[in-house]
Amino acid sequence: SQQGEEDPQALSIQEGENATMNCSYKTSINNLQWYRQNSGRGLVHLILIRSNEREKHSGRLRVTLDTSKKSSSLLITASRAADTASYFCATDEVQGTYKYIFGTGTRLKVLA
Amino acid sequence: SQTIHQWPATLVQPVGSPLSLECTVEGTSNPNLYWYRQAAGRGLQLLFYSVGIGQISSEVPQNLSASRPQDRQFILSSKKLLLSDSGFYLCAWRESYEQYFGPGTRLTVT
């Protein structure tokens, strides 16, 4: 089965800087999503990008998708200490099996 | 609005004991429901998903089982816990393409 992989595994930046995380996957997809998880909590949906889209914005978030490279990136601009969390990408399979495959996550730490 | 509940929040159980984790969803009908497990510092492993009452798909063969006795209730069970069952268990439901997660149950098997 496909497995998303994020890189870097961990990222530490200063408040106000931009943070970029990448996700790679293995098979064709319908859409790709990014989630945030604060320590010890459930995941929160951030943004969804469909396979026919190349870029999407939501507030300080910018997501790109390159289906030819099977990769996506999440950019958080002007980061804040409250952005400290783990970020996961998730992909669904084209065949519509109702399943999502989550990556291993990037742990982001924003220093005040 | 839709909400998802999980309980208990934390659980410490001895090896060999049974397990029952419950998840309920409010504010939606006939949701797709999911159980995931997350090991410390790791990604999510899909355990079970359900598209309707009594319909369970298992992703990983192990000593866990799931049941869906009601439309908005999803239960994760085990007859005998193993040390390797320790982890953070998350229930989720799906609307359109997005998944919404519960607060999770942290299980420690001792």
Side-chain angles (χ1 to χ4, degrees):
Chain A
S1 62
Q2 67 180 38
Q3 174 69 53
E5 294 184 2
E6 287 93 338
D7 82 274
Q9 290 188 344
L11 181 60
S12 185
I13 60 174
Q14 295 292 325
E15 205 166 30
E17 294 181 337
N18 295 341
T20 300
M21 290 158 260
N22 303 295
C23 167
S24 61
Y25 56 93
K26 296 179 181 177
T27 65
S28 297
I29 60 172
N30 280 321
N31 62 72
L32 184 144
Q33 303 175 52
W34 285 91
Y35 289 81
R36 183 187 72 223
Q37 183 182 34
N38 290 91
S39 181
R41 310 290 292 272
L43 278 71
V44 175
H45 182 267
L46 294 176
I47 195 166
L48 177 150
I49 186 166
R50 301 186 190 281
S51 59
N52 61 353
E53 298 176 310
R54 291 297 167 259
E55 187 171 312
K56 201 161 184 180
H57 297 255
S58 176
R60 293 183 297 111
L61 306 180
R62 172 179 169 251
V63 169
T64 61
L65 178 64
D66 187 336
T67 53
S68 66
K69 296 180 179 179
K70 293 185 170 56
S71 67
S72 173
S73 68
L74 170 67
L75 169 67
I76 304 174
T77 61
S79 63
R80 306 166 181 169
D83 295 326
T84 295
S86 292
Y87 292 81
F88 296 89
C89 67
T91 54
D92 74 333
E93 296 175 356
V94 173
Q95 297 305 315
T97 58
Y98 307 103
K99 296 188 297 183
Y100 284 97
I101 306 297
F102 281 81
T104 51
T106 292
R107 296 186 304 279
L108 173 65
K109 187 170 186 179
V110 181
L111 304 171
Chain B
S1 64
Q2 301 89 346
T3 56
I4 182 167
H5 303 279
Q6 278 187 253
W7 63 90
T10 60
L11 192 58
V12 180
Q13 293 282 103
V15 169
S17 64
L19 173 73
S20 181
L21 302 181
E22 188 164 344
C23 169
T24 60
V25 182
E26 296 178 0
T28 185
S29 60
N30 196 31
N32 290 342
L33 296 173
Y34 303 79
W35 277 112
Y36 291 91
R37 178 170 62 200
Q38 185 179 32
R42 306 292 296 276
L44 274 68
Q45 178 187 31
L46 178 62
L47 301 176
F48 301 95
Y49 68 95
S50 171
V51 300
I53 295 174
Q55 300 179 63
I56 309 294
S57 295
S58 173
E59 290 298 298
V60 184
Q62 54 199 333
N63 67 321
L64 299 174
S65 62
S67 62
R68 186 169 176 176
Q70 300 180 44
D71 181 43
R72 288 171 284 180
Q73 184 184 30
F74 204 20
I75 297 172
L76 181 70
S77 303
S78 174
K79 293 182 179 178
K80 289 186 177 181
L81 284 168
L82 307 173
L83 283 174
S84 58
D85 291 324
S86 293
F88 191 46
Y89 288 80
L90 290 158
C91 179
W93 66 277
R94 170 179 166 159
E95 179 178 275
S96 184
Y97 294 109
E98 301 175 10
Q99 286 198 314
Y100 298 89
F101 286 81
T105 294
R106 184 157 310 279
L107 172 66
T108 303
V109 183
T110 60

